[in-house]
Amino acid sequence: MSVQRFRGATSLGFLDCTVVDYANGTFEAFYVTGSVSIVDCLWHSCGPLRSGQLLVSGCDVFGNSGWAPFLEDSAVMSDSLFQDNFAYDGGGVIYCGVVSATDCSFIGNYVSGIDDYFGGAICASAVTLSNCYFRENRSGGGGAISCGSLVAEDCTFEANESFAQKYGPYGGGAIMASNVDLVGCVFFNNRDVSTSGPGLAPGGAVSSEQGV
């Protein structure tokens, strides 16, 4: 189904919905100036959603694409699966100011390698995570997450990959961040496979300016 862009609402809510094939090329399929809530929904093969504040809870979000599937000022996500989403720019799932995620899984999300864009799952200014799982996410830097500051507790990062091809290397097979605070997190088989730039990339798992 081909659907034209949804635009102009100040708020929008989805409850127990299936939203499929709602696209507008790489541009926003949904543009909402205020808040959007998506609860207990299947969200598949849609174009980008842009809003001020986003709530996602109890959802399966997969196969979406665009500049980033979600373009937000702030977002709260819980009890959801984000799988096989793609971004032409940073943030294979979400490009955002502030992100909080609890009990979520991010699997197989990625961004374009043309210009070494960052954050295979999340690209944000600040990220707070609790009990989240990241597997096989890929980007030019920060295979799973690229952000300014990250606080993560009881999270697992498995087989994420950074692959700078043009400028880098930036490193951070799992995470690239300025400030990182990790508690009870597990990392295995994360790596940098960059082919650009001289020397080795910093951090097969984590690349951080301020250390961990």
Side-chain angles (χ1 to χ4, degrees), residues 158-198:
E158 177 186 0
N160 302 285
E161 186 175 273
S162 54
F163 62 99
Q165 300 175 33
K166 189 171 182 180
Y167 300 109
Y170 305 98
I175 297 166
M176 182 176 69
S178 297
N179 298 286
V180 180
D181 186 0
L182 304 173
V183 178
C185 294
V186 177
F187 294 80
F188 56 100
N189 294 334
N190 302 283
R191 62 179 186 160
D192 178 85
V193 293
S194 298
T195 58
S196 63

Side-chain angles (χ1 to χ4, degrees), residues 108-184:
N109 305 288
Y110 66 107
V111 301
S112 171
I114 295 174
D115 287 309
D116 296 350
Y117 292 123
F118 301 150
I122 298 172
C123 186
S125 297
V127 178
T128 302
L129 305 172
S130 177
N131 196 36
C132 291
Y133 179 54
F134 294 82
R135 189 182 80 214
E136 296 177 354
N137 302 285
R138 303 179 71 240
S139 77
I145 300 169
S146 173
C147 63
S149 64
L150 170 67
V151 177
E153 183 175 358
D154 298 329
C155 295
T156 298
F157 297 85
E158 177 186 0
N160 302 285
E161 186 175 273
S162 54
F163 62 99
Q165 300 175 33
K166 189 171 182 180
Y167 300 109
Y170 305 98
I175 297 166
M176 182 176 69
S178 297
N179 298 286
V180 180
D181 186 0
L182 304 173
V183 178

Side-chain angles (χ1 to χ4, degrees), residues 4-124:
Q4 296 300 313
R5 175 166 158 176
F6 181 97
R7 183 181 181 90
T10 55
S11 64
L12 186 63
F14 299 87
L15 174 62
D16 195 20
C17 295
T18 297
V19 183
V20 180
D21 292 336
Y22 199 114
N24 187 37
T26 59
F27 299 100
E28 297 99 335
F30 301 86
Y31 182 85
V32 179
T33 56
S35 61
V36 173
S37 63
I38 306 172
V39 179
D40 296 333
C41 292
L42 172 66
W43 194 275
H44 174 43
S45 298
C46 295
L49 183 154
R50 181 186 291 272
S51 70
Q53 300 84 39
L54 175 68
L55 169 68
V56 178
S57 180
C59 295
D60 286 345
V61 179
F62 64 97
N64 305 286
S65 63
W67 293 118
F70 295 123
L71 300 153
E72 318 297 332
D73 294 334
S74 64
V76 176
M77 303 183 290
S78 63
D79 302 300
S80 296
L81 169 65
F82 303 89
Q83 186 165 2
D84 297 332
N85 300 287
F86 169 75
Y88 296 97
D89 208 326
V93 171
I94 187 166
Y95 186 94
C96 191
V98 179
V99 178
S100 173
T102 303
D103 298 324
C104 291
S105 293
F106 300 82
I107 300 172
N109 305 288
Y110 66 107
V111 301
S112 171
I114 295 174
D115 287 309
D116 296 350
Y117 292 123
F118 301 150
I122 298 172
C123 186

